[in-house]
Amino acid sequence: MKKLLFFSVFLIPILGFNQGNDNLFAYQSYASRPTVEISYKGTPYVAADYKLGTTTIHGKTDFKAPMRYNAFENKIEFLDQEHVQRELLRRPYISATIDGVTYTVETYLEDGKEKFVYFNTRYLGETTLLYKPKKILVKEGSTAAYDKIFKYKDVSSYYIKKGNGPAVPVKINPKSILDALDHTQELEAYVTGIKLNLRSEEDVIRVLEFYNSLTKEVESKKCQA
């Protein structure tokens, strides 16, 4: 994918001071730049091809259409009946399933502010594991003074969401996962007892299943007291 950016000849007005005549005068110099060609490697999409997708609005199936997820701009694109590209509204009550993967809108914290973004739910429970597919543009190198190459880099990440609170970022490793949860002693004993690897998404999900059952048990005892 390539995009050409053109810079035309332009005027730069510059003020100068003629010390000999003590007169303030203005003069112009001209500068120009050659065409800048920027090349993009890779794709901003999770999958560039459109796949059959289904939207759900307020829990009810709404419509089906060819869809794809733009991980660079965080949006779902679809083709209408005239094959015109449209964009799905990013709302908490609207979700879409594309080629078997469901995209839901959740709140998360960024710089102390809550924002809406698309997530894939990896595990659903009172405490949920979310995956945020995301790509950014990074400079790969320069082959000439005005020839730059950029590539789309995958920077997808995981989040944990407790109840109705905002999702918080975590890494798939023991420290990050356990720091995001309470009941640390019980969890550490559980992880050690069955030798879980918290660098594995599958084992993180097992920990969250245990954690949710543990918190339910604690809440149940509080209610009975």
Side-chain angles (χ1 to χ4, degrees):
M1 187 189 303
K2 292 187 177 181
K3 184 179 291 185
L4 298 180
L5 304 179
F6 296 99
F7 294 82
S8 5
V9 174
F10 57 91
L11 301 177
I12 303 178
I14 304 175
L15 292 179
F17 185 74
N18 187 322
Q19 295 180 350
N21 297 325
D22 290 332
N23 292 324
L24 191 67
F25 67 93
Y27 65 92
Q28 295 175 328
S29 65
Y30 296 84
S32 64
R33 294 179 185 175
T35 298
V36 178
E37 182 173 304
I38 300 178
S39 300
Y40 299 105
K41 289 187 175 181
T43 174
Y45 301 98
V46 168
D49 294 335
Y50 284 95
K51 304 287 185 179
L52 181 63
T54 303
T55 60
T56 301
I57 300 178
H58 291 298
K60 297 182 179 180
T61 301
D62 191 68
F63 70 90
K64 296 182 179 181
M67 299 181 186
R68 61 183 180 180
Y69 179 68
N70 188 324
F72 178 66
E73 297 186 19
N74 184 230
K75 65 183 182 181
I76 292 175
E77 300 170 358
F78 68 93
L79 299 177
D80 65 14
Q81 294 180 343
E82 285 72 39
H83 280 77
V84 176
Q85 182 175 295
R86 306 288 186 183
E87 179 181 336
L88 198 65
L89 287 176
R90 194 189 309 158
R91 299 289 186 272
Y93 54 85
I94 302 176
S95 64
T97 300
I98 307 171
D99 200 27
V101 178
T102 299
Y103 294 84
T104 59
V105 177
E106 306 282 355
T107 58
Y108 81 112
L109 287 177
E110 183 178 279
D111 300 327
K113 298 180 181 180
E114 289 191 12
K115 296 186 177 181
F116 287 111
V117 72
Y118 281 109
F119 286 98
N120 303 141
T121 301
R122 296 295 207 228
Y123 166 71
L124 182 62
E126 180 63 22
T127 297
T128 298
L129 181 65
L130 302 171
Y131 181 76
K132 182 161 75 75
K134 182 179 179 180
K135 292 187 179 184
I136 61 173
L137 271 177
V138 295
K139 184 179 177 182
E140 188 175 67
S142 179
T143 57
Y146 294 100
D147 184 10
K148 301 181 185 298
I149 302 175
F150 289 82
K151 66 178 179 179
Y152 288 99
K153 180 181 178 181
D154 192 321
V155 291
S156 302
S157 54
Y158 288 88
Y159 284 71
I160 281 180
K161 179 180 173 67
K162 292 183 177 180
N164 294 322
V168 296
V170 294
K171 294 181 179 179
I172 301 298
N173 65 50
K175 184 179 187 308
S176 183
I177 296 299
L178 294 178
D179 284 351
L181 306 171
D182 46 16
H183 305 297
T184 306
Q185 290 184 345
E186 294 92 332
L187 290 179
E188 287 179 345
Y190 177 73
V191 170
T192 304
I194 59 175
K195 299 179 180 179
L196 293 181
N197 176 14
L198 294 190
R199 298 185 186 278
S200 158
E201 181 186 302
E202 181 180 353
D203 283 0
V204 169
I205 290 173
R206 293 182 67 182
V207 166
L208 291 179
E209 289 174 340
F210 174 74
Y211 176 78
N212 283 332
S213 66
L214 188 63
T215 53
K216 284 182 180 179
E217 182 180 337
V218 171
E219 289 300 320
S220 177
K221 288 180 179 180
K222 286 181 180 180
C223 293
Q224 294 174 4

